[in-house]
Amino acid sequence: MQERTRTAGTTEMDRHTQEIPVIDLSRAGKGNYVAKRGWLVQALWFVLEACVVNNKLNPSSALRVTLLRAFGAKIGRHCRFVHPLRVKAPWNLEVGDDCWFGIDVWLYNQAPIHIGSHVCLSQGAFLTTGSHDAAATMDLRVAPIVIEDGVWITSKCVVQMGVRIGRSALVTPLSVVHRSLAAGGVYGGNPCRFLHPRFPQAR
């Protein structure tokens, strides 16, 4: 009796599972993504990023900045790029003055990333302007990210497409930022939520 009941329950579960659609990834397209450089420039950047920009044996911030600017990045004064990092599309990157970039920062910027001045991106921070249409076609979807002045994104955080992080906000380690954050707060968690004001005078 118990075996028949278990079998009936399993059959019902299988039937329900079969009703859940599977998206055909072979038909997924580029969606709203537009490449701003030709394949030759992209290929050249791929090689230079791997050999120089993301190379732990290169301690030169000036060399990284020079290469990023040569491929279209707009970078302000006194920024520190002393550690290896990845930048998918330097032509989609704008950085203000006096910014710090930690080791293994990854800017996956299929759409523009705008970073203000006095911003710190700590070790392993991942900013991605792209995702996929998960409920329909899995087409690529992109939207810009804006990081305002004074923001600190700490270690191993993920910042997703379309997000704006307000002036002097702080995001605690391992957080996932899926929506825009107001200025002056400390945020953390997955999903990221407000914890408390960053500065004592605001408490």
Side-chain angles (χ1 to χ4, degrees):
M1 180 65 178
Q2 289 180 345
E3 184 63 30
R4 284 199 300 271
T5 302
R6 188 181 301 113
T7 302
T10 302
T11 302
E12 181 63 28
M13 184 182 301
D14 290 342
R15 187 180 301 114
H16 174 70
T17 300
Q18 291 300 320
E19 293 173 356
I20 298 175
V22 172
I23 298 173
D24 183 353
L25 295 183
S26 68
R27 303 182 66 180
K30 293 184 178 181
N32 67 335
Y33 168 69
V34 177
K36 295 182 180 179
R37 297 293 188 276
W39 70 268
L40 185 59
V41 173
Q42 294 183 61
L44 181 59
W45 174 250
F46 179 84
V47 172
L48 289 173
E49 183 203 42
C51 295
V52 182
V53 177
N54 195 34
N55 189 342
K56 293 181 179 180
L57 299 178
N58 169 30
S60 174
S61 177
L63 180 55
R64 288 189 174 90
V65 170
T66 297
L67 281 176
L68 287 164
R69 286 174 174 162
F71 279 80
K74 298 177 181 178
I75 300 175
R77 300 172 300 168
H78 311 305
C79 289
R80 296 175 60 183
F81 286 86
V82 296
H83 301 291
L85 77 159
R86 297 183 65 183
V87 180
K88 180 172 179 62
W91 44 89
N92 279 335
L93 178 62
E94 183 174 345
V95 181
D97 300 329
D98 298 287
C99 291
W100 300 348
F101 292 80
I103 190 170
D104 293 332
V105 166
W106 189 0
L107 306 178
Y108 200 77
N109 54 341
Q110 294 156 305
I113 291 179
H114 301 278
I115 297 172
S117 297
H118 309 286
V119 171
C120 178
L121 302 184
S122 291
Q123 300 92 330
F126 176 48
L127 280 62
T128 175
T129 62
S131 188
H132 294 274
D133 184 0
T137 61
M138 285 294 285
D139 284 355
L140 182 60
R141 293 286 182 263
V142 299
I145 290 173
V146 177
I147 310 296
E148 296 184 4
D149 295 349
V151 169
W152 181 10
I153 298 174
T154 62
S155 301
K156 304 291 185 181
C157 290
V158 176
V159 180
Q160 296 181 334
M161 59 180 284
V163 161
R164 186 183 194 99
I165 299 182
R167 181 185 178 94
S168 293
L170 187 156
V171 184
T172 61
L174 298 171
S175 298
V176 177
V177 184
H178 68 289
R179 60 180 177 81
S180 295
L181 306 179
V186 174
Y187 300 86
N190 180 11
C192 198
R193 64 190 187 282
F194 176 78
L195 300 177
H196 55 77
R198 178 175 178 178
F199 303 109
Q201 63 269 28
R203 298 181 185 177

